[in-house]
Amino acid sequence: HEYGHFWVARRCGVKVESFSIGMGKEIFGYTDKHGTRWRYSWLPIGGYVQMYGDADPASFTQDPNAAVMTADERSVAFFAQNVWKRIAIIAAGPGANYLFAFLLWFAFVFYMGKPSVPSVIKSFATVSAAREAGMQLGDQIVKLNDTPVASIGEVSKYINTVAKGVPLQVEFIRGAETMQLQVKPIVDAETTISRLGINGIKVYSPIGLGGAVSEAATTVYSITTETLSVIGQMIAGTRSAEELGGPLRIAKLSGDVFKEQDAYTIINFFVLISVSLGLVNLFPIPLLDGGHIFFYLIEAVRRRPLPSRVQEYAARIGFGTVLFIIGFTLWNDLVSLKILPYLKTLFS
């Protein structure tokens, strides 16, 4: 993400003062021949690129000395570039996230083939709603509430779009017979994800170069639209905001993913995280990349920037919004991972 900002900034003639991996005080680093300080900082959360002429890494305020800069200095300052260059530099961060996700998934499916898990039950989870309802190994699920499904992924996607804890009408094929049962999905207490508790076997189908390009593009697009749909449902109140996770839940999920030692699961996780980072940064919230782009588009229409006072208040609102989201997701993490009850036992 940050390298996307850096790469495009350099090609737009903007001087990059520092590129930090992590936040806070620098642990160690070096300065390259272009005058960029490459920093490794003590807080391993995120990073930033600070461009010449900015008073802060968020690029919301100019250097106090901007008014007395020479013509040569202004030529390499971020704030002095035309609005379309600034938009390109800011958009390059989320763009790099999307490009990384696309190339990673393209390489995987081109080499391995298109992955799918047919909706045939090959094993049950330790706790399985499907087994308790009377389903058996070898059953092939074909419909959920009259909605056709052909893979375990489609089964999981569907049951997480309906109300939690509501029984589903499951139509399946057993041998030569078509049967129906009502199954009530189990909701995972930690992730709030609904599950039937069934597993299938992954198969890979060769798809060639064109198929790999199409599959990668479709996957990135699907993650984006599904994420927006989930957020929309949360805003509308039809889906619990408890599903929003922060750094603690991501860390736990990362550990769970790598425990499986399955290339598909690991690559898919990287793709999901990269697209999510790119998408969230495009939200029109001041301080995020999307907030910058929104202000620059207004500037392009008005042919002049918004008043500094407006931008200052917007930055404060954006900062408060980001802090609220961080606090809210951290609280969700503490509750869902049962950290609060654990901490309570330490002091009781």
Side-chain angles (χ1 to χ4, degrees):
H1 178 96
E2 299 302 333
Y3 191 78
H5 292 311
F6 171 82
W7 192 87
V8 174
R10 288 286 299 274
R11 274 137 194 86
C12 287
V14 174
K15 178 182 177 181
V16 178
E17 291 198 306
S18 60
F19 188 119
S20 178
I21 298 175
M23 308 293 283
K25 187 177 181 180
E26 178 182 322
I27 302 173
F28 63 90
Y30 69 96
T31 302
D32 66 20
K33 63 181 181 180
H34 299 287
T36 301
R37 181 67 180 176
W38 295 80
R39 300 159 40 99
Y40 296 85
S41 303
W42 73 273
L43 186 61
I45 297 177
Y48 63 85
V49 170
Q50 182 158 357
M51 288 168 273
Y52 184 71
D54 290 340
D56 58 80
S59 295
F60 246 94
T61 54
Q62 294 180 12
D63 188 315
N65 299 316
V68 295
M69 283 183 177
T70 66
D72 287 341
E73 289 174 332
R74 290 181 68 86
S75 69
V76 295
F78 173 74
F79 71 84
Q81 307 303 308
N82 69 59
V83 68
W84 301 112
K85 281 188 177 182
R86 281 178 278 145
I87 288 175
I89 292 168
I90 295 300
N97 286 125
Y98 272 89
L99 180 61
F100 174 77
F102 172 85
L103 292 176
L104 187 61
W105 196 244
F106 162 79
F108 180 77
V109 297
F110 180 68
Y111 177 75
M112 293 291 296
K114 181 178 180 179
S116 64
V117 182
S119 57
V120 178
I121 302 175
K122 295 298 183 180
S123 65
F124 291 107
T126 304
V127 179
S128 172
R131 180 174 54 195
E132 292 177 3
M135 299 189 72
Q136 300 177 8
L137 298 180
D139 290 348
Q140 180 179 0
I141 300 174
V142 292
K143 288 183 181 180
L144 296 173
N145 291 343
D146 293 326
T147 299
V149 292
S151 68
I152 296 295
E154 291 179 1
V155 171
S156 178
K157 180 180 177 180
Y158 179 83
I159 65 177
N160 281 285
T161 59
V162 298
K164 303 289 184 185
V166 176
L168 303 173
Q169 190 71 21
V170 179
E171 183 176 314
F172 57 95
I173 298 173
R174 178 179 294 168
E177 186 178 358
T178 299
M179 306 176 67
Q180 290 188 346
L181 281 174
Q182 274 205 339
V183 182
K184 183 179 179 180
I186 295 172
V187 181
D188 189 296
E190 292 184 359
T191 64
T192 70
I193 295 175
S194 297
R195 306 181 191 277
L196 290 185
I198 59 175
N199 302 306
I201 293 181
K202 195 180 291 92
V203 296
Y204 294 92
S205 307
I207 55 176
L209 180 62
V213 171
S214 176
E215 174 65 17
T218 300
T219 298
V220 169
Y221 175 78
S222 296
I223 294 173
T224 300
T225 55
E226 289 171 18
T227 302
L228 290 173
S229 175
V230 168
I231 293 173
Q233 291 170 14
M234 290 179 181
I235 294 173
T238 59
R239 190 164 185 153
S240 174
E242 293 177 1
E243 294 183 41
L244 285 174
L248 297 180
R249 206 179 307 187
I250 291 174
K252 181 183 183 302
L253 184 57
S254 300
D256 293 342
V257 165
F258 281 92
K259 280 180 183 177
E260 294 189 25
Q261 298 182 347
D262 175 67
Y264 166 83
T265 304
I266 294 172
I267 297 297
N268 186 64
F269 178 71
F270 279 132
V271 170
L272 177 62
I273 290 294
S274 193
V275 171
S276 298
L277 284 173
L279 178 60
V280 168
N281 269 280
L282 285 173
F283 289 169
I285 300 173
L287 294 188
L288 298 183
D289 293 334
H292 286 283
I293 294 171
F294 179 69
F295 276 89
Y296 295 153
L297 289 174
I298 293 176
E299 179 181 339
V301 173
R302 299 176 76 242
R303 298 184 181 276
R304 63 184 186 280
L306 286 169
S308 57
R309 182 62 62 87
V310 173
Q311 296 190 49
E312 180 184 343
Y313 281 122
R316 292 179 182 177
I317 293 171
F319 182 70
T321 302
V322 171
L323 280 183
F324 172 78
I325 294 172
I326 292 173
F328 183 76
T329 55
L330 181 59
W331 175 260
N332 280 349
D333 290 351
L334 293 173
V335 172
S336 66
L337 299 178
K338 297 181 173 61
I339 295 176
L340 289 178
Y342 173 75
L343 293 175
K344 186 177 180 180
T345 61
L346 296 179
F347 297 98
S348 62

